[in-house]
Amino acid sequence: LPVDKGNTKSKQDKKKCCDYPISIFFIVVNEFCERFSYYGMRAVLVLYFRYFLRWDDDLATTIYHTFVALCYLTPILGAIVADSWLGKFKTIIYLSMVYTIGQAVLAVSAIHDITDFNRDGIPDDRTLHVVLSMIGLFLIAIGTGGIKPCVAAFGGDQFQEHQEKQRSTFFSIFYLSINAGSLLSTIITPILRGQNCGIHTQQRCYPLAFGVPAALMAVALVVFIVGSSMYVKAAPKGNIMLDVCKCIGFALKNRFRHRDSQYPAREHWMDWASEKYDKLLIEQVKMVVKVLFLYIPLPMFWALFDQQVCVCVCLCGALIIQPDQMQTVNPILILLLVPIVDRIVYPLIKLCGLNFSPLRRMTVGMLFAAVAFVAAALVQIQIDKTLPDFPSSSQSQFKFLNLQNTEQSVQVGGQTYHVPAFQSSGDYQTVDTSSISTVINGTTFNIPLTKEKRQTILISTGLQPDLCCRFVNGFSSILNVSWSGEDLGAIVTNDDSNYTMVSQGKRVFTIESPGGPSCLVEKEFGFGSSYTFLIASNVSFGPDVSRCEVVWTPVCCIHQTQHLPHGDRLRYAPSNMKSVLQAGWLLTVAVGNIIVLIVAEAAQLPDQWAEYVLFASLLLAVSIIFGIMAYYYTYVDPAEIEARFADKEEKKRPDPERLTTCFQVTIDEEINSGSLGPQL
């Protein structure tokens, strides 16, 4: 409507700063906060599954990739709602509310005190936490996916046609804010997760790690609403994706109806839509279909790229990186390498006379990703060499820990173990039986064993199997152990405490007897280890515990980094079809995460390195296919096609002056003939 256009022009003309619409600053801040919220939450999500919900690696990986796939499927729905019904502004507002609620629900689901009725630090009703977390993740997927195709496009709407330079600068700042939010969140939220918090017991602070992203999403929503009066709000104009789908569907249906040889063939199968749709739209759909065809191999790349959620702990000199902080490598490398590659590498390649087109760049990027997974497999092989030989599903493992002040001889199946005082019998022994018969000092004990478990058998006045020790009390009275405000509880003689998670660095433990003396034990903890402290029977309480044994077992650590191929996927799209290609691009990410689930479930490989090699091989094959497709791809300039049709329409349009003359002559003739007399 003319009134709306006038209001739009007024907003764009009056509310400016340095020739930029003031409204874009609200949009940039909104995007920064939203990306901080999303990537901050995602950074700690796998560890939340593993160590709070107590899921195994397979289930945690499955739920994670399902969530990511859903986040990249919902943008299609968001684009349809925005373009066909609510408009971009209302869509962003409503779905941001859903997004914020989802983040808040997820944060609440991580509060262990809600169901920790016995106050042992472990939720007693895990089902409630699982249900809340799944509801929260579903709402987050709807929210982040729904607004994803709207925010950038809404920012572009704030500029007039003559502000092409300013619009280009805005998009650069916009994508910089995305990477800045991602970088900061993946540094900060793991630090928050590493803190201890709780009402009754202190545990890893997942509520804070999820709560801060929830607060940032609320800030993003408020900031976006504050700028409401300054925005240019274009009305919904119909969804081009639906038009494209209908056009393609009609072409296929019409071609099927005329499949007999009596109907002449047409140059392109999309030409069968010419009976119903405009020729310009058909030509634009042809260009889009060509690009979408190139997207077919891309999900395999995303299948590898989205597996970069880190499961390692890395120590680099004095710099300590939390396992969930390794994801910061991705935005850091993007911010560092993209300018270097664009300004130095590509120009040098061009000077060498090589035609390094965007499609060829993407092919090389995919090959690099495959090489990265091969490197990860080689590292994993080296790691596997350092791992203990854990029992299989039909085996058990055991060793002895002597709590006595004299050496003990233990006989098991004809083999004798000489266990020194306050020491262990050495490495774990593997057996295929569900129990072992043990003879010590002429007394026979039948010790039950648990399949797939390692057990430490304590030698005191009798034998006790222990699945996982932390502090073992060999003293003659009850002792209490605490550290950093966390009480491990009273440990009776010849018993052990519950296992507790200890963060890296120097930690001080207080050992005390009820109403008696106490002492401090200092220990420097590294990463990936399991410790057992033995409080011996001859300990003297003073500045140190005189005798203790530390049993250390390394655990798996994998470090992998990947480089993102950087290609301009929208440059060769018609001006009104960019949303279609953007939706197609996001769909490849969703399909890639689904591929991870399918391949991992179908392959059932026993070794992690073999899975890495499998994915690298698949991507290598896909890269070769993509390279062949790119070689035969012919670039078409959408502007030329649109200009050609515009010229045709201009030639068909009558000359206004000639039309006026013809109309006047017709009127004169009608008047002279008298046929218009009564009406006049």
Side-chain angles (χ1 to χ4, degrees):
L1 295 173
V3 175
D4 290 337
K5 291 182 179 179
N7 290 337
T8 296
K9 185 175 182 181
S10 175
K11 288 183 179 181
Q12 291 173 326
D13 289 340
K14 292 181 180 180
K15 298 180 180 180
K16 289 184 179 181
C17 178
C18 301
D19 206 28
Y20 287 87
I22 296 179
S23 57
I24 67 169
F25 297 103
F26 294 93
I27 296 173
V28 169
V29 174
N30 166 270
E31 184 66 11
F32 170 82
C33 294
E34 188 275 328
R35 290 290 87 186
F36 186 106
S37 175
Y38 174 73
Y39 284 107
M41 172 275 303
R42 210 175 89 164
V44 300
L45 191 58
V46 172
L47 292 181
Y48 169 73
F49 291 157
R50 286 287 290 110
Y51 299 109
F52 186 89
L53 298 182
R54 307 283 178 171
W55 290 346
D56 58 27
D57 288 335
D58 292 337
L59 181 58
T61 301
T62 298
I63 299 300
Y64 173 81
H65 285 290
T66 302
F67 167 71
V68 174
L70 187 59
C71 288
Y72 285 94
L73 283 173
T74 50
I76 298 176
L77 298 177
I80 293 175
V81 170
D83 292 344
S84 304
W85 181 27
L86 294 178
K88 299 183 187 73
F89 175 75
K90 289 184 178 180
T91 300
I92 295 172
I93 292 290
Y94 295 154
L95 291 183
S96 292
M97 292 179 181
V98 174
Y99 195 167
T100 306
I101 294 173
Q103 289 279 31
V105 171
L106 182 61
V108 171
S109 75
I111 302 176
H112 67 275
D113 289 300
I114 293 177
T115 61
D116 185 14
F117 305 116
N118 58 4
R119 300 185 180 182
D120 63 351
I122 300 175
D124 297 321
D125 187 0
R126 196 172 300 163
T127 302
L128 175 63
H129 294 273
V130 171
V131 171
L132 287 176
S133 61
M134 293 302 100
I135 292 174
L137 290 176
F138 178 76
L139 295 177
I140 291 171
I142 296 296
T144 186
I147 68 175
K148 194 184 294 290
C150 300
V151 179
F154 186 72
D157 290 343
Q158 309 307 306
F159 295 88
Q160 298 180 358
E161 293 182 1
H162 66 274
Q163 294 180 300
E164 189 61 36
K165 181 179 179 181
Q166 289 86 347
R167 182 186 287 111
S168 177
T169 303
F170 160 74
F171 281 118
S172 297
I173 298 174
F174 182 84
Y175 290 113
L176 179 64
S177 71
I178 292 176
N179 285 288
S182 170
L183 175 60
L184 291 177
S185 65
T186 48
I187 293 174
I188 294 174
T189 52
I191 295 176
L192 299 177
R193 177 198 60 81
Q195 308 304 309
N196 289 326
C197 63
I199 300 174
H200 304 299
T201 56
Q202 299 288 306
Q203 298 294 332
R204 291 297 186 213
C205 205
Y206 289 102
L208 184 60
F210 289 138
V212 170
L216 263 291
M217 191 58 226
V219 171
L221 176 59
V222 171
V223 168
F224 190 76
I225 293 176
V226 168
S228 175
S229 62
M230 306 179 191
Y231 297 139
V232 175
K233 304 169 186 175
K237 300 178 181 178
N239 192 273
I240 189 64
M241 284 192 292
L242 294 179
D243 294 338
V244 170
C245 293
K246 290 178 181 178
C247 184
I248 293 175
F250 181 81
L252 293 174
K253 183 169 62 174
N254 198 30
R255 177 67 184 91
F256 181 77
R257 288 175 179 174
H258 300 83
R259 61 186 180 275
D260 293 340
S261 57
Q262 60 178 329
Y263 299 104
R266 300 188 183 183
E267 184 178 354
H268 192 278
W269 61 270
M270 276 302 305
D271 292 330
W272 289 96
S274 58
E275 285 86 346
K276 184 176 180 180
Y277 291 92
D278 181 70
K279 290 186 177 180
L280 175 58
L281 176 63
I282 294 174
E283 290 299 322
Q284 291 172 332
V285 172
K286 289 179 183 179
M287 289 183 280
V288 167
V289 170
K290 284 184 63 178
V291 178
L292 291 178
F293 181 71
L294 288 174
Y295 283 5
I296 293 176
L298 296 184
M300 197 64 235
F301 166 78
W302 293 113
L304 274 70
F305 183 81
D306 277 342
Q307 290 186 68
Q308 64 178 325
V309 177
C310 187
V311 292
C312 80
V313 179
C314 180
L315 178 63
C316 304
L319 178 63
I320 299 172
I321 302 177
Q322 297 290 339
D324 34 6
Q325 282 180 323
M326 275 303 299
Q327 297 171 75
T328 59
V329 174
N330 178 38
I332 289 174
L333 288 180
I334 289 178
L335 293 174
L336 291 178
L337 292 181
V338 168
I340 294 175
V341 170
D342 282 342
R343 300 300 176 89
I344 299 176
V345 177
Y346 289 161
L348 288 177
I349 293 176
K350 187 176 181 180
L351 287 176
C352 295
L354 298 176
N355 180 20
F356 201 45
S357 64
L359 293 179
R360 293 178 181 177
R361 298 172 192 175
M362 293 178 69
T363 304
V364 173
M366 294 167 71
L367 291 173
F368 279 153
V371 172
F373 257 58
V374 172
L378 295 176
V379 173
Q380 186 65 51
I381 291 174
Q382 296 302 315
I383 291 172
D384 290 345
K385 293 179 180 179
T386 68
L387 293 178
D389 185 16
F390 291 105
S392 66
S393 59
S394 61
Q395 296 176 327
S396 301
Q397 290 183 341
F398 70 91
K399 73 174 179 179
F400 297 96
L401 180 60
N402 185 8
L403 305 186
Q404 304 296 310
N405 56 5
T406 58
E407 181 181 289
Q408 300 291 323
S409 296
V410 183
Q411 293 181 348
V412 179
Q415 184 174 356
T416 302
Y417 299 91
H418 298 284
V419 188
F422 310 119
Q423 300 292 324
S424 71
S425 58
D427 294 334
Y428 283 94
Q429 304 299 311
T430 303
V431 294
D432 295 326
T433 59
S434 58
S435 64
I436 56 173
S437 180
T438 305
V439 179
I440 179 171
N441 295 331
T443 304
T444 301
F445 299 90
N446 188 50
I447 307 297
L449 300 177
T450 304
K451 296 293 185 181
E452 295 187 85
K453 298 291 185 181
R454 286 183 153 191
Q455 297 178 237
T456 301
I457 302 173
L458 309 181
I459 304 175
S460 54
T461 54
L463 298 180
Q464 305 176 42
D466 175 40
L467 294 183
C468 187
C469 297
R470 176 52 62 186
F471 279 84
V472 177
N473 183 10
F475 199 61
S476 57
S477 65
I478 296 175
L479 296 176
N480 188 279
V481 181
S482 61
W483 71 284
S484 299
E486 181 176 352
D487 193 348
L488 300 184
I491 312 173
V492 299
T493 302
N494 299 329
D495 204 353
D496 60 283
S497 69
N498 291 327
Y499 180 83
T500 184
M501 295 294 293
V502 182
S503 56
Q504 186 274 342
K506 181 178 288 187
R507 296 291 174 260
V508 179
F509 296 88
T510 301
I511 303 176
E512 58 184 346
S513 58
S518 63
C519 66
L520 302 179
V521 177
E522 288 189 358
K523 174 61 185 174
E524 184 77 28
F525 288 92
F527 291 100
S529 303
S530 175
Y531 297 85
T532 298
F533 289 91
L534 171 60
I535 306 172
S537 60
N538 62 349
V539 64
S540 353
F541 282 91
D544 274 322
V545 173
S546 59
R547 298 292 298 273
C548 69
E549 182 199 19
V550 178
V551 181
W552 175 75
T553 303
V555 297
C556 179
C557 175
I558 179 62
H559 177 111
Q560 56 177 312
T561 56
Q562 304 168 10
H563 176 61
L564 170 69
H566 180 72
D568 189 347
R569 60 186 179 275
L570 299 180
R571 181 180 301 172
Y572 303 99
S575 57
N576 62 335
M577 296 286 177
K578 295 185 187 297
S579 62
V580 179
L581 290 186
Q582 180 70 17
W585 181 265
L586 296 175
L587 186 61
T588 64
V589 182
V591 175
N593 282 271
I594 295 173
I595 289 175
V596 175
L597 303 178
I598 296 174
V599 173
E601 186 67 26
Q604 293 292 325
L605 297 175
D607 299 314
Q608 185 65 53
W609 66 265
E611 187 170 311
Y612 291 149
V613 171
L614 173 62
F615 277 104
S617 302
L618 291 174
L619 183 58
L620 177 62
V622 167
S623 300
I624 295 174
I625 295 172
F626 183 82
I628 296 173
M629 294 168 62
Y631 179 80
Y632 289 101
Y633 181 84
T634 55
Y635 291 92
V636 178
D637 187 356
E640 293 182 2
I641 301 295
E642 293 172 353
R644 187 170 73 242
F645 275 87
D647 291 341
K648 290 181 179 179
E649 292 298 323
E650 186 67 27
K651 292 178 180 179
K652 293 179 180 179
R653 190 178 299 123
D655 184 0
E657 294 184 1
R658 183 170 178 270
L659 181 61
T660 303
T661 303
C662 293
F663 180 73
Q664 184 62 48
V665 169
T666 304
I667 292 295
D668 291 342
E669 291 177 350
E670 294 292 335
I671 292 175
N672 292 333
S673 65
S675 60
L676 290 181
Q679 289 85 344
L680 290 176

